[in-house]
Amino acid sequence: MPRPALSAFRAARTVPPTPAREIARIAVPVSMEFVLMLVLNFVNQIVVGGLGATAIAAVGFSNSLTFILAVTLGCLGTSVSILVARAHGAGRRDALDHTVTAALLVALVLGAVVSVVPWFFADHLMGLVGASPSVAAAGTDYFRLTVLATLPVMLSAILSGVLRSAGRPTSPMIATMVTVVANSMIAYSLVVGLGPLPSLGVAGAGWATLVTAVAKALILLAMTFRRGGVVGWSLPDTALQWRAVVVPLFVLALPLGVTELFWTVGTFLYNVVFQQLGDAALAAAQIVTTLEGVFVVGSIGLMSATTTLVGRSVGRGDVADATAWVRRLTRAGIGTAAVFGVLFAASVLLLDVLFGEAGRDVRVMAGVGILINAAFQVVKVRNMIVGAGVLPSANDVRGVIIGDVVGAFVVGLPLAVLLGLHTPLGYVGIFVARIVEELAKLAIFSWRARRIRWESLVTQRSDVAAAA
């Protein structure tokens, strides 16, 4: 290559990326990763759907229980990703290594406890929390296996957050691609009994989930700690270093865990209300939730981009840059939500093909739920970006808790019981109640976001760094 052309090529490579490209570099791989994960759940639901509406309801009800554990404990991943982004932005490799190492040790202990204890009580737990006898009988073995996957899922959440915040957002996507393909193959083989393999029914999907969750955690560990990787295994040496790492970790993680607990319990209680209308209504709700997830996570990468880009700006002490990223990401969320909302609504046309064995009543109820939720996709995505990205990045986890508690337990669930069980609206009333919940959360999250004082946060970060 001639010298002038070579110089121009090198100069082009050193030009900082535009804000849109920087957002896309983080958000697109994350969104693709989560889309793959939910496509995996969707494929499993189709495979299990061949066993009938009760099997769909059993898998959905079991997943809503394990979802509480996985998402609540996954708050460590969010907390670590914010702290790693700040350390990465400030160029503090020692703080990065100490934070990740301490978080993984905490996750090992917590994950072991919350995986084993529910396993012992699986026989009675589903019935105690509201599942019908038929749903409990079909889903107990599946629940046992998926609850054991909580530990590797926790580790994967932490390691994925670390890799994204440290500038390697495609690595978790690669690990997910490998395990999604493996999961689909294993699930189909064990559910239907392909070749010499036994036909395990619903439990076959549980075995596939457990095996691939362990495999993904091992792949991410190798990506994170390999030679020349983004992190080195390093425990803090002094009590002061331990305090500088553990206190910020739990200051973020504990409130985030509380808000995730409220959110997931609220989601589970909606399933309990649907169950009161019968197995068909519960099955329809699970179809809507799974399909909606596939399209909502098309925008979820913007949430990770928020914690990463805003966190780096806070770590550098650049208030103007942090607020600029918030504006850009919020606008991007509106655009992606509108597109994916239309695609979500169009998925109604596929219900007869994908869930022919579930029954016409189930498909009709699912179609109504899809159309209602698709109309408010923009609201849900904005809540995701502000409530799970902007507010935690500004250390305003209290605002997230207020929004989730008021939205679900003061507004949404009481309205769902009233409209769903005491009016002719039935299942339509429950879907409407969930939309009203999202509107209440939108009002609260927007109010809290306007109260953020980024200057105070940057000053606080500087004081903590100096003390460390």
Side-chain angles (χ1 to χ4, degrees):
M1 182 180 293
R3 187 174 298 276
L6 180 61
S7 299
F9 175 73
R10 288 174 177 172
R13 292 188 62 186
T14 59
V15 173
T18 63
R21 291 185 62 184
E22 187 69 11
I23 292 173
R25 191 178 70 87
I26 299 172
V28 172
V30 174
S31 292
M32 290 181 64
E33 177 190 354
F34 277 88
V35 167
L36 287 170
M37 291 168 64
L38 289 192
V39 166
L40 159 67
N41 290 337
F42 183 53
V43 169
N44 286 345
Q45 193 172 73
I46 293 174
V47 172
V48 173
L51 304 176
T54 298
I56 297 175
V59 169
F61 200 88
S62 301
N63 284 342
S64 64
L65 277 174
T66 54
F67 189 63
I68 294 174
L69 297 176
V71 174
T72 301
L73 297 174
C75 66
L76 279 174
T78 305
S79 176
V80 171
S81 66
I82 293 172
L83 296 175
V84 167
R86 292 175 181 175
H88 185 74
R92 299 181 61 236
R93 176 61 187 262
D94 56 341
L96 192 155
D97 292 347
H98 292 165
T99 298
V100 176
T101 304
L104 289 175
L105 292 177
V106 171
L108 283 170
V109 176
L110 289 178
V113 173
V114 300
S115 296
V116 174
V117 173
W119 186 88
F120 282 109
F121 300 99
D123 288 335
H124 307 290
L125 186 58
M126 290 185 66
L128 286 174
V129 295
S132 67
S134 58
V135 168
T140 295
D141 289 339
Y142 176 85
F143 174 70
R144 260 205 189 92
L145 294 165
T146 53
V147 79
L148 290 178
T150 302
L151 174 56
V153 167
M154 280 183 64
L155 296 177
S156 295
I158 291 172
L159 296 168
S160 295
V162 170
L163 289 167
R164 295 184 198 113
S165 295
R168 300 196 180 177
T170 59
S171 296
M173 182 187 69
I174 294 170
T176 301
M177 290 175 63
V178 173
T179 52
V180 160
V181 174
N183 190 303
S184 299
M185 296 173 60
I186 296 171
Y188 179 77
S189 300
L190 293 178
V191 169
V192 303
L194 190 65
L197 297 174
S199 176
L200 301 179
V202 174
W207 276 110
T209 298
L210 177 59
V211 170
T212 52
V214 172
K216 181 177 179 179
L218 293 175
I219 292 171
L220 290 171
L221 277 169
M223 289 178 169
T224 305
F225 290 99
R226 65 186 176 186
R227 180 174 298 180
V230 298
V231 178
W233 185 269
S234 176
L235 290 170
D237 297 322
T238 66
L240 184 61
Q241 287 183 346
W242 273 104
R243 184 176 183 277
V245 170
V246 174
V247 170
L249 179 67
F250 281 96
V251 163
L252 280 173
L254 288 177
L256 283 172
V258 171
T259 189
E260 297 291 9
L261 178 62
F262 282 129
W263 176 59
T264 52
V265 169
T267 301
F268 171 72
L269 291 177
Y270 278 109
N271 287 332
V272 174
V273 178
F274 274 112
Q275 177 71 94
Q276 301 305 306
L277 300 178
D279 290 357
L282 178 59
Q286 300 314 307
I287 292 172
V288 173
T289 299
T290 304
L291 272 172
E292 181 182 29
V294 172
F295 294 102
V296 166
V297 297
S299 304
I300 202 171
L302 296 172
M303 180 186 71
S304 295
T306 301
T307 57
T308 299
L309 297 172
V310 175
R312 290 177 186 174
S313 298
V314 171
R316 291 192 298 268
D318 193 337
V319 173
D321 198 41
T323 55
W325 282 122
V326 171
R327 290 193 299 270
R328 294 176 189 130
L329 288 156
T330 303
R331 288 197 300 268
I334 295 173
T336 60
V339 173
F340 286 111
V342 172
L343 294 175
F344 180 34
S347 68
V348 169
L349 303 175
L350 301 176
L351 291 178
D352 287 343
V353 176
L354 299 175
F355 298 100
E357 300 297 326
R360 178 171 174 75
D361 290 343
V362 172
R363 295 195 299 273
V364 169
M365 287 188 283
V368 172
I370 288 171
L371 294 176
I372 292 173
N373 282 275
F376 291 89
Q377 190 91 325
V378 172
V379 175
K380 293 190 175 186
V381 170
R382 180 176 171 81
N383 285 342
M384 180 175 64
I385 293 173
V386 178
V390 176
L391 295 182
S393 296
N395 284 357
D396 185 17
V397 186
R398 180 184 299 176
V400 185
I401 296 175
I402 294 172
D404 284 336
V405 171
V406 173
F409 296 96
V410 178
V411 177
L413 282 166
L415 191 60
V417 172
L418 175 64
L419 298 179
L421 304 183
H422 301 287
T423 74
L425 289 174
Y427 71 94
V428 176
I430 303 175
F431 285 125
V432 169
R434 299 212 66 174
I435 298 302
V436 176
E437 173 192 331
E438 293 294 331
L439 293 172
K441 288 163 64 174
L442 174 65
I444 294 171
F445 290 160
S446 299
W447 164 60
R448 297 294 296 194
R450 289 193 295 268
R451 291 166 50 91
I452 294 175
R453 298 292 179 265
W454 294 101
E455 295 84 357
S456 300
L457 179 64
V458 167
T459 301
Q460 182 183 9
R461 285 290 306 152
S462 300
D463 293 343
V464 171

